[in-house]
Amino acid sequence: MTGGRGLLEVIALSALDAERAERGGADRLEVVGTMDDDGLSPDPSLVAEIAAATGLPLRVMVRARAGFGTDGEELARLRGLAVAYRGAGADGLVLGFLDATGAVDVDAVTEIVGATDGPWTFHRAIDACPEPDRAWAVLHGLPRLDQVLTAGSTRGVGDGLTALLRRAETDEPARSRILAGGGLRPEHVPVLAQSGITAFHIGSAARPDGSFAAPVDAALVRGWRDLIDDALATPG
């Protein structure tokens, strides 16, 4: 593996989070309104506030409730939020929906992303798919999808590390799209980097005591920045 700078994405719940993440060396922010139910949509006014506070690209969570299903009026509301987020300064979206069988809900996803332009991330709904190979094959065919936030397991990277490594080694299109996150720990980064994964996502790890009740700490982000850069600069 050759040296290079990887991508570090940090969850931001406020303009202060955004400012500190940028100061620490983050490359991009995932904007979330609340971490209830593992992350729900923000108000568009928060997106505008964060966009005004930072020069970092913003990807905004499009998700209204627990679980990975949506339909009817909620789907129409999410489509409207996606448009509002782009108007408020978002560079892209974060979303992912599954149907009743646990397969990727292509209709719901394409209806939302079709309302805007720009790249987007399919989030950790992928880890809940009972047939991940089939799910990845579907994702590879979706328009403008450039990253998939995944831990390899619903239980986090600690349990999903082997699955992530296997995916990166056997599925070249997936390797370039994997955004590794969900309980990511420092010791995971060098191993993932050796497999060719270059994009990493942190949330609680960017905050004192790992608590979302605390704002992002620039020094913690800097530690992850240095860790990722060192891992990707080490020949494999």
Side-chain angles (χ1 to χ4, degrees):
M1 184 174 62
T2 60
R5 180 180 172 94
L7 183 140
L8 173 58
E9 178 180 85
V10 178
I11 292 176
L13 299 168
S14 67
L16 178 61
D17 282 350
E19 292 166 359
R20 292 184 173 184
E22 183 171 22
R23 190 159 68 246
D27 298 296
R28 192 174 71 205
L29 303 174
E30 182 191 88
V31 180
V32 180
T34 172
M35 288 308 299
D36 293 347
D37 300 311
D38 295 322
L40 299 176
S41 288
D43 191 275
S45 63
L46 176 61
V47 178
E49 182 181 349
I50 291 176
T54 179
L56 294 179
L58 311 181
R59 293 208 179 177
V60 183
M61 179 66 73
V62 183
R63 183 169 178 254
R65 55 184 162 97
F68 301 116
T70 188
D71 53 32
E73 291 184 6
E74 181 181 87
L75 182 56
R77 184 167 78 85
L78 293 176
R79 180 184 171 95
L81 277 176
V83 174
Y85 293 153
R86 288 287 282 156
D91 299 274
L93 305 173
V94 182
L95 66 147
F97 297 102
L98 308 179
D99 64 20
T101 71
V104 175
D105 189 338
V106 174
D107 290 342
V109 169
T110 54
E111 179 169 342
I112 294 170
V113 299
T116 71
D117 55 1
W120 60 284
T121 301
F122 191 94
H123 63 51
R124 286 192 57 203
I126 185 68
D127 294 335
C129 291
E131 297 185 66
D133 289 342
R134 179 175 295 183
W136 273 100
V138 170
L139 294 183
H140 290 327
L142 295 179
R144 293 181 282 108
L145 173 66
D146 67 347
Q147 287 194 310
V148 178
L149 174 59
T150 175
S153 167
T154 56
R155 295 179 297 276
V157 176
D159 287 287
L161 185 60
T162 298
L164 282 178
L165 297 176
R166 185 184 303 116
R167 180 67 52 189
E169 291 163 1
T170 62
D171 186 343
E172 185 175 353
R175 182 169 63 246
S176 66
R177 288 188 168 118
I178 288 173
L179 174 62
L184 187 71
R185 298 196 300 267
E187 62 266 28
H188 298 144
V189 172
V191 180
L192 292 166
Q194 289 293 315
S195 74
I197 293 171
T198 61
F200 303 89
H201 165 99
I202 58 172
S204 60
R207 300 161 191 273
D209 299 320
S211 171
F212 279 104
V216 165
D217 184 291
L220 290 174
V221 175
R222 177 58 61 187
W224 283 89
R225 170 82 275 157
D226 292 344
L227 173 64
I228 292 166
D229 290 346
D230 289 347
L232 292 173
T234 302

